[in-house]
Every structure is written in C-alpha cells, then in structure tokens.
Amino acid sequence: MSNQKYIVLGSTLFIISIILDLNLVPYSYVINFIGTGFALYGVINWLRVKENRIRFKEITKPKANFLEMIQSTFDFRWEKISIYWTICAVGAMLIVHLGSLMMSSSGAYESAVVEIKNDSIIKNRTGGIVGFTYMVTGNFTTHGYSKLNIGVLGKSNSFFVDAEVFGENGDYETDKLTIVEDNNR
C-alpha cells in the first residue's frame, strides 16, 4: 500500500472514531489510535523519500515578499494541496490526542470522575458505569472554575455529564454535576 493510502486510511479512521466518540460508542479510542498510527506511519515513510522532503521544504519555506506569499497561497497544484492536507490532518490528530491527555490528567477531570462514579443517580441511570469517552470537552484552568463535558458510558444507558469543578492550589472539588438530556449536538 502506498504512503498516501496509509495517510488517507488513517485520517478516515480518525474521523470515524471522533464521530463514534461523540455518539458515546465504547472503545472508539482504539479506532482513534489505529487511525493515528496509520497516518503517522504513512507520513514518516513518505518523508523518507528524498524528493518528498525537498518538495515539503520548498512548499513550506517562508516567502521573500508579500506578492510571492499571495501567489503561493493561491497555487492549487495537487502536490501542494496534498501536502497541506496531510499537515492539517496529522496536526489535528496530534492536537486531539494532546488535548485529551491534558484534560484527562488534570485535577479537575479526576475530581469530576470520582464524583460521577460515586453519584447514585448516575449509577442508576447507566446501570453501572463502564467507562468514559476518550475526548473530554470544556474548559479548565489551574485556578477557579472549570466546566467539563464528560461522556459517561454505562451498561444500559450512556449520556453526557456537565461537571463544574472549582480548583485552587492543586485542590479540586466538584461543585455540580448535571446530566445532559439532549445528546443531539
């Protein structure tokens, strides 16, 4: 299989995994990692070819003046578009993984997960918590309030929970958990 096919296959699997994760499908992160692996493998092998490295450097090097930059921006040769598409796709994958790792390793997330696991209403509605979605959305800060949106995967029912967490000096407390009734986002 050619390197471009690996990149396209990996990007497609990545997009499918994001859709599955947002629809609360368990273990969608496995597809996410497989897709990222295929894409990175394709990119690394593509960059091993000397001509590809030269083309990549030529396309991404800074331009001498504004006119050159504009001409370069509107140059729609396929080889240039495919390189930009690859940079954007693989960059997006890495950003999603980095964001997920940062969110899931934060004190605010850990506090919210402990509260969700201990909440009797959530336990009853899910029929027992199986896990959580890979991607956590929301915002968090080192000090002050954080609002996280965490997908809770249950045995009989899955849904999103909004968690408001207060954190100060590394200590986090979950103030409020709200079950999101509308999963159609």
Side-chain angles (χ1 to χ4, degrees):
M1 189 167 7
S2 72
N3 297 325
Q4 288 84 0
K5 288 181 182 174
Y6 278 115
I7 295 167
V8 170
L9 175 64
S11 300
T12 305
L13 287 173
F14 177 79
I15 291 167
I16 289 170
S17 75
I18 299 292
I19 293 167
L20 292 175
D21 198 60
L22 292 174
N23 285 299
L24 300 170
V25 175
Y27 306 112
S28 60
Y29 64 89
V30 174
I31 298 170
N32 196 314
F33 287 121
I34 291 170
T36 303
F38 273 123
L40 288 176
Y41 177 78
V43 167
I44 290 168
N45 283 336
W46 184 83
L47 286 173
R48 284 185 180 167
V49 178
K50 186 175 182 178
E51 295 83 30
N52 292 340
R53 284 195 309 273
I54 292 169
R55 280 185 13 221
F56 178 78
K57 287 178 185 176
E58 179 185 314
I59 288 171
T60 57
K61 75 177 178 185
K63 306 304 176 223
N65 58 41
F66 186 72
L67 182 61
E68 257 186 58
M69 185 186 76
I70 296 296
Q71 288 171 339
S72 174
T73 302
F74 293 104
D75 180 8
F76 293 122
R77 288 179 289 150
W78 176 247
E79 65 189 30
K80 191 171 185 179
I81 292 171
S82 65
I83 289 173
Y84 285 146
W85 182 86
T86 302
I87 291 169
C88 291
V90 174
M93 289 179 195
L94 296 177
I95 288 169
V96 165
H97 288 300
L98 238 143
S100 294
L101 288 172
M102 286 172 52
M103 285 287 220
S104 61
S105 64
S106 72
Y109 176 81
E110 291 172 8
S111 171
V113 165
V114 168
E115 286 296 319
I116 290 170
K117 286 180 178 177
N118 293 331
D119 190 279
S120 60
I121 295 171
I122 293 174
K123 281 183 188 176
N124 290 337
R125 289 208 39 199
T126 59
I129 297 173
V130 175
F132 301 93
T133 56
Y134 176 66
M135 293 189 319
V136 179
T137 58
N139 56 36
F140 70 100
T141 59
T142 53
H143 300 289
Y145 276 95
S146 302
K147 186 167 184 177
L148 304 175
N149 187 269
I150 303 170
V152 180
L153 305 172
K155 292 178 184 174
S156 62
N157 192 11
S158 297
F159 47 83
F160 287 95
V161 173
D162 283 336
E164 291 183 20
V165 182
F166 180 75
E168 193 169 60
N169 299 327
D171 295 324
Y172 295 90
E173 289 185 31
T174 303
D175 287 342
K176 185 170 124 182
L177 296 174
T178 308
I179 296 172
V180 180
E181 297 296 334
D182 181 23
N183 287 337
N184 300 323
R185 303 176 209 223

